[in-house]
Amino acid sequence: MNRIKKCFIICAAVFCIGTGMCLGGVFAGGISDIDKVAKNHDWLVGSPGKIQVAGGGEIDFDSVEATGNLDLVLLGSEYMKSPGDEYLPSELSEVISAEQPGEGTVLIACGKNVEVPKNYVDNGTLKIEGNPGDDGVLTINFSSDDVTPTVVVFCGDKSLKKIDASNNFCDFVIQGVSFEKAELWGSDNDIVMDGVRSGSLKIDGNCTDADLRGDFFGTTDIEIDDGDVEIETSVSREEYAMDIYAEDGDIEIADGEIEVDEKPWKYSCEGGPNKLNIRIARGDVELFFGDTLYR
């Protein structure tokens, strides 16, 4: 027993000494060396340092397509001067407040050592390409800065034909934008819409929360494995046919006028000409219509 105790004591001492040496190296200037090592090893990320902001002049487009590792923010004219700061890095909020970019501007904020997502227009579609986010590699990051790029597109009064976005572990924020069709795909993310006007919307997510506010016409089709859905639409309830199913969660409609909180967790009704199709494996569904909007 004494030998076992001695072994544990020796191992603990070696661990403490090694940890102390590592910390000493880091605080003695080791971060710069970590940056050098990180260039040759994808699993190690050094300090991104100060957030950089990149952007160009105003461009013309009628659709947006985004892929890869990035947070996407689309802003209509009423939100371009004062977008919700909770969705933006502070440095980007400062730039927007000072310069108030015009319609068709794209601003990108990311860490100093992070590759800036590509953006270009192809046949009227603004294409934004970030690095693949889910590569199955464990990354060690020694910085408290958020290395995920944030791309802000100033749509102004444009009515977009289509929004097509897919990523994992990143968020979609759409404020004050009108669009004919939107398709959003991803996992472990949030989807936030405020003041939008939708002609058709499809959301396919896993571990995704969807918080949607605006005018939702046509078909709104939402399928999420694990997450909550809240929709506030100014369109009256009678204008919708609904088919709602929550395998394990509650359903609340029209500020509690209809509540489903026991099996089977589903609700359907006829109406039209618009449709709400919502399927949730685990999570709650809340729907608000007309005069209950923005309660």
Side-chain angles (χ1 to χ4, degrees), residues 6 11 17 28 30 64 132 161 202 205 231 239 246 259 279:
K6 289 181 180 179
C11 290
I17 292 172
V64 176
K161 292 182 179 179
K202 180 176 180 58
I231 299 177
E239 295 295 310
E259 292 190 61
R279 296 170 298 282

Side-chain angles (χ1 to χ4, degrees), residues 12-239:
V14 172
F15 175 81
C16 292
I17 292 172
T19 302
M21 292 177 66
C22 289
L23 292 175
V26 169
F27 290 107
I31 288 294
S32 60
D33 291 331
I34 289 175
D35 284 339
K36 295 176 182 178
V37 175
K39 292 180 180 179
N40 299 318
H41 298 281
D42 295 336
W43 54 269
L44 179 65
V45 178
S47 171
K50 183 177 175 60
I51 291 289
Q52 62 174 332
V53 177
E58 298 177 12
I59 55 178
D60 188 25
F61 57 89
D62 56 28
S63 298
V64 176
E65 179 181 313
T67 58
N69 185 34
L70 55 90
D71 292 321
L72 178 65
V73 181
L74 305 182
L75 301 177
S77 56
E78 63 180 306
Y79 290 88
M80 283 171 45
K81 294 183 179 180
S82 57
D85 291 344
E86 65 269 28
Y87 306 118
L88 303 176
S90 59
E91 290 82 0
L92 193 53
S93 296
E94 293 172 1
V95 170
I96 294 173
S97 298
E99 299 181 6
Q100 296 182 4
E103 178 178 303
T105 301
V106 178
L107 289 181
I108 303 173
C110 59
K112 184 176 64 175
N113 297 329
V114 177
E115 183 178 351
V116 178
K118 299 177 182 178
N119 71 97
Y120 57 93
V121 177
D122 182 16
N123 291 327
T125 298
L126 170 62
K127 295 191 174 183
I128 306 167
E129 300 174 354
N131 288 327
D134 187 7
D135 54 9
V137 177
L138 176 62
T139 301
I140 301 175
N141 183 9
F142 284 87
S143 170
S144 60
D145 291 335
D146 184 3
V147 300
T148 302
T150 298
V151 180
V152 183
V153 181
F154 296 83
C155 300
D157 294 322
K158 292 178 180 290
S159 180
L160 299 179
K161 292 182 179 179
K162 186 176 181 181
I163 302 170
D164 191 342
S166 61
N167 65 27
N168 295 325
F169 306 103
C170 299
D171 299 330
F172 301 124
V173 178
I174 304 176
Q175 297 180 309
V177 176
S178 296
F179 53 86
E180 296 178 15
K181 182 178 182 180
E183 296 184 358
L184 308 178
W185 316 78
S187 65
D188 297 275
N189 62 346
D190 293 330
I191 298 175
V192 178
M193 295 186 183
D194 191 7
V196 305
R197 184 179 178 86
S198 167
S200 172
L201 172 62
K202 180 176 180 58
I203 294 176
D204 191 341
N206 178 31
C207 296
T208 298
D209 289 331
D211 188 356
L212 315 177
R213 293 175 170 80
D215 307 326
F216 296 92
F217 297 98
T219 298
T220 299
D221 195 337
I222 301 174
E223 184 169 359
I224 294 175
D225 286 342
D226 190 353
D228 298 327
V229 173
E230 181 174 323
I231 299 177
E232 296 188 4
T233 173
S234 62
V235 181
S236 65
R237 196 175 80 189
E238 293 74 19
E239 295 295 310

Side-chain angles (χ1 to χ4, degrees), residues 1-14:
M1 183 66 68
N2 290 334
R3 290 181 179 179
I4 295 176
K5 288 183 178 179
K6 289 181 180 179
C7 180
F8 277 119
I9 292 173
I10 292 172
C11 290
V14 172

Side-chain angles (χ1 to χ4, degrees), residues 233-234 289-293:
T233 173
S234 62
F289 303 90
D291 58 2
T292 64
L293 184 65

